[in-house]
Amino acid sequence: MLDLLPDLFDHYPDQLTLLLNPWQSFGAKSIFYGEVVTVKCFEDNSKVKSELAKKGHGKVLVVDGGGSCRRALLGDMIALNAYKNGWEGIIINGCIRDAGTINTMQIGVQALGTNPIKTDKKDVGEVNVIIEIAGVSIHPGMMIYADLNGIAVSKQSLDLSILQ
């Protein structure tokens, strides 16, 4: 399967909400989905690092970085840790760095762009709180679906067997 969202919106138009941001896709896994875990932080990726150090099978970390592109909230070392811990993907409302290396990893990553500058580490941020991205409230435990067409959220898991 090369595309997920067009078919999902065809079958579940009333159960999905599209996150209208200029997303860029990174990582070698262009289609990913899973249960939402949230982080809210601003130019400090301490909470991103600590969450992705945990087991993440079936989960996607959704990070509200306030849309700031002055610092990168994800780099290759943290992304590699996420991959090793089984995370399905990472969505950053902000920037990443080490894009070339992340593109070689079998993990899905979407972000607003890239910036080579790392963040300060002050251990500031919130985990598993309701966040808002592109005017959409995203709650921990929701489902998120991403591919090269964009990112969408749903209040519950959707039956993907209809797509086969």
Side-chain angles (χ1 to χ4, degrees), residues 3-157:
D3 296 292
L4 175 65
L5 291 188
D7 291 333
L8 284 182
F9 272 98
D10 288 351
H11 287 88
Y12 301 109
D14 299 328
Q15 295 178 42
L16 288 164
T17 303
L18 188 65
L19 301 184
L20 290 172
N21 260 357
W23 300 109
Q24 294 182 41
S25 183
F26 303 93
K29 190 175 177 184
S30 63
I31 295 176
F32 62 96
Y33 53 89
E35 181 184 346
V36 169
V37 175
T38 64
V39 167
K40 184 173 184 166
C41 58
F42 186 76
E43 297 181 3
D44 178 347
N45 69 350
S46 302
K47 301 296 183 187
V48 174
K49 182 178 181 180
S50 63
E51 283 306 296
L52 293 173
K54 300 174 184 175
K55 295 295 178 195
H57 297 282
K59 296 181 182 177
V60 174
L61 187 69
V62 182
V63 180
D64 180 7
S68 174
C69 286
R70 296 184 337 155
R71 299 277 189 274
L73 293 174
L74 179 74
D76 60 347
M77 304 290 280
I78 297 173
L80 181 60
N81 207 21
Y83 167 73
K84 288 179 179 177
N85 284 315
W87 287 84
E88 300 299 323
I90 307 157
I91 295 170
I92 306 279
N93 185 28
C95 283
I96 69 161
R97 65 190 222 155
D98 303 310
T101 303
I102 289 173
N103 281 340
T104 68
M105 297 179 192
Q106 282 298 319
I107 190 164
V109 176
Q110 292 217 18
L112 298 180
T114 59
N115 184 320
I117 302 170
K118 67 181 180 178
T119 69
D120 292 327
K121 305 281 191 290
K122 299 177 183 173
D123 200 30
V124 176
E126 300 172 275
V127 176
N128 276 331
V129 295
I130 298 170
I131 59 175
E132 186 175 308
I133 297 177
V136 177
S137 290
I138 302 170
H139 299 244
M142 290 178 86
M143 290 296 290
I144 198 148
Y145 301 88
D147 71 5
L148 297 176
N149 297 286
I151 301 169
V153 293
S154 175
K155 290 182 181 175
Q156 66 276 334
S157 181

